[in-house]
Amino acid sequence: MNNQAVVWSGGGAYFAFEVGVNRVLADRGIDHQHQFGVSAGGLISVINAQHPIGLAKAAADEADAILKSVKGNKSIYKRWWFLGQLEGLLWRRSLVNSKPLWDLIQKHCDEEKIRNSGKTLRLGCTSYGKGMYHEATENTPDLWKWVAATSAFAPYFLPIEIDGDYWVDGGYRCIAPLKSAIDAGCTNIDVVITSTLETYPEDVSKCKTALDVAMRLVGMMTDEIILRDVQKALKYNDLIMSGHPLGEGKKRLNIRLFRPSHKLHGGSRNFDQKLLAEHRTHGIEVAQQVLDKKE
């Protein structure tokens, strides 16, 4: 079994950071057999899953092309036609219309290529009807809908109706599906996240609306989930190395963590081209630093 896996977290517009990391991984000849993603990371996992082993650079080129095609917020979402966000509060299921994002996903999600690439894919989504976490795979029908669902950060973006239920961002249950990669038997895992995992108290003064407060609390919660999962993996390794009975017969995990060295600014819903370029550049810098330490 090829145990090379990569885990992509959510992050909205900070997806550009992950595109930068992906560029360096591909250029260094690192091509992961197993792709795990949620939210914005779900799209990059899909792009990678469409290209067989050996074509990582082609996948990185496509991700770069997608990023360059984003010409601001209107490329991802737009206001409701009548009352904007107020309309979303009154009778819509979201604050904005995310059809532009759906169009982008449908354009770049080739289900046949994914099924024939030989790679495995896991996309995490959350049902807000049943409250459950579910992972779509490379063989799931209408896969583009699941990509749209995992990208649907509620209440901002529209949830996706699939099989009589509504599905949203997988990050509400699992911001970075590291556990899924471990459960699948992967032992060499790269984890790419868009948070520094640090809390910045000065940000509190910027929470001027109810939505700002909600975003702040979600960010704190998701950072804690990621940090907890990474710490569990490291403890797992300690059990194995110490000869503890719970680690008997298990293989050591090799985990590399790619995360920003400073807080990404601009906001996760700000798709300004200049900001996206800055985030991508930082992703390249971080990936080079992480890989150079290991080589």
Side-chain angles (χ1 to χ4, degrees), residues 5 9 11 44 53 66 107 133 171 188 195 206 221 262 276 279 286:
S9 82
I44 197 166
I53 291 293
I66 292 174
K107 180 180 178 180
Y133 177 78
N188 298 298
S195 169
K206 300 178 182 178
M221 177 186 69
H262 61 258
L276 294 178
H279 299 330
V286 167

Side-chain angles (χ1 to χ4, degrees), residues 75-143:
S75 296
I76 304 298
Y77 61 87
K78 56 187 179 180
R79 290 168 53 89
W80 289 115
W81 68 277
F82 185 47
L83 295 175
Q85 289 191 8
L86 181 59
E87 186 173 339
L89 290 171
L90 294 175
W91 68 83
R92 300 283 189 182
R93 285 193 171 93
S94 67
L95 296 176
V96 298
N97 182 346
S98 45
K99 187 178 183 301
L101 176 60
W102 294 358
D103 293 340
L104 184 150
I105 289 171
Q106 284 185 284
K107 180 180 178 180
H108 292 280
C109 180
D110 190 319
E111 298 181 29
E112 184 176 358
K113 283 185 178 180
I114 293 171
R115 286 192 294 269
N116 295 330
S117 72
K119 290 184 177 179
T120 63
L121 173 68
R122 298 292 182 273
L123 292 174
C125 301
T126 304
S127 159
Y128 77 66
K130 299 176 182 176
M132 62 181 289
Y133 177 78
H134 172 74
E135 289 184 337
T137 76
E138 67 275 8
N139 295 314
T140 299
D142 295 324
L143 187 60

Side-chain angles (χ1 to χ4, degrees), residues 23-272:
R23 177 79 267 168
V24 175
L25 291 172
D27 289 347
R28 296 284 185 100
I30 301 171
D31 198 354
H32 302 87
Q33 174 68 32
H34 309 284
Q35 299 282 330
F36 296 82
V38 298
S39 195
L43 179 57
I44 197 166
S45 66
V46 162
I47 299 304
N48 287 336
Q50 291 177 165
H51 296 78
I53 291 293
L55 296 179
K57 287 188 177 181
D61 289 344
E62 184 172 352
D64 279 333
I66 292 174
L67 192 64
K68 289 180 181 179
S69 73
V70 177
K71 307 296 184 183
N73 294 345
K74 290 183 179 180
S75 296
I76 304 298
Y77 61 87
K78 56 187 179 180
R79 290 168 53 89
W80 289 115
W81 68 277
F82 185 47
L83 295 175
Q85 289 191 8
L86 181 59
E87 186 173 339
L89 290 171
L90 294 175
W91 68 83
R92 300 283 189 182
R93 285 193 171 93
S94 67
L95 296 176
V96 298
N97 182 346
S98 45
K99 187 178 183 301
L101 176 60
W102 294 358
D103 293 340
L104 184 150
I105 289 171
Q106 284 185 284
K107 180 180 178 180
H108 292 280
C109 180
D110 190 319
E111 298 181 29
E112 184 176 358
K113 283 185 178 180
I114 293 171
R115 286 192 294 269
N116 295 330
S117 72
K119 290 184 177 179
T120 63
L121 173 68
R122 298 292 182 273
L123 292 174
C125 301
T126 304
S127 159
Y128 77 66
K130 299 176 182 176
M132 62 181 289
Y133 177 78
H134 172 74
E135 289 184 337
T137 76
E138 67 275 8
N139 295 314
T140 299
D142 295 324
L143 187 60
W144 82 267
K145 290 184 178 181
W146 293 98
V147 183
T150 195
S151 303
F153 180 74
Y156 212 74
F157 292 107
L158 274 166
I160 307 297
E161 184 177 5
I162 305 174
D163 296 332
D165 200 354
Y166 284 93
W167 296 86
V168 295
D169 196 330
Y172 283 111
R173 287 296 192 189
C174 181
I175 188 62
L178 173 58
K179 183 178 183 300
S180 295
I182 296 172
D183 289 345
C186 301
T187 55
N188 298 298
I189 308 171
D190 287 334
V191 181
V192 188
I193 61 176
T194 58
S195 169
T196 63
L197 301 181
E198 298 176 10
T199 301
Y200 295 83
E202 65 270 19
D203 284 354
V204 174
S205 64
K206 300 178 182 178
C207 296
K208 301 182 183 300
T209 68
L211 184 59
D212 291 337
V213 173
M215 292 292 292
R216 170 71 173 179
L217 294 175
V218 168
M220 292 169 61
M221 177 186 69
T222 53
D223 285 354
E224 181 181 348
I225 292 172
I226 297 173
L227 190 58
R228 182 189 64 202
D229 287 349
V230 172
Q231 289 174 337
K232 281 184 178 179
L234 295 177
K235 289 181 179 178
Y236 176 95
N237 279 344
D238 289 340
L239 289 174
I240 295 172
M241 298 300 291
S242 65
H244 193 283
L246 291 177
E248 186 176 351
K250 297 180 180 178
K251 295 182 179 180
R252 186 178 185 276
L253 300 175
N254 298 308
I255 296 176
R256 291 186 298 202
L257 181 62
F258 298 79
R259 62 176 174 175
S261 61
H262 61 258
K263 186 178 186 298
L264 299 177
H265 62 284
S268 62
R269 303 185 308 278
N270 187 346
F271 292 86
D272 175 80

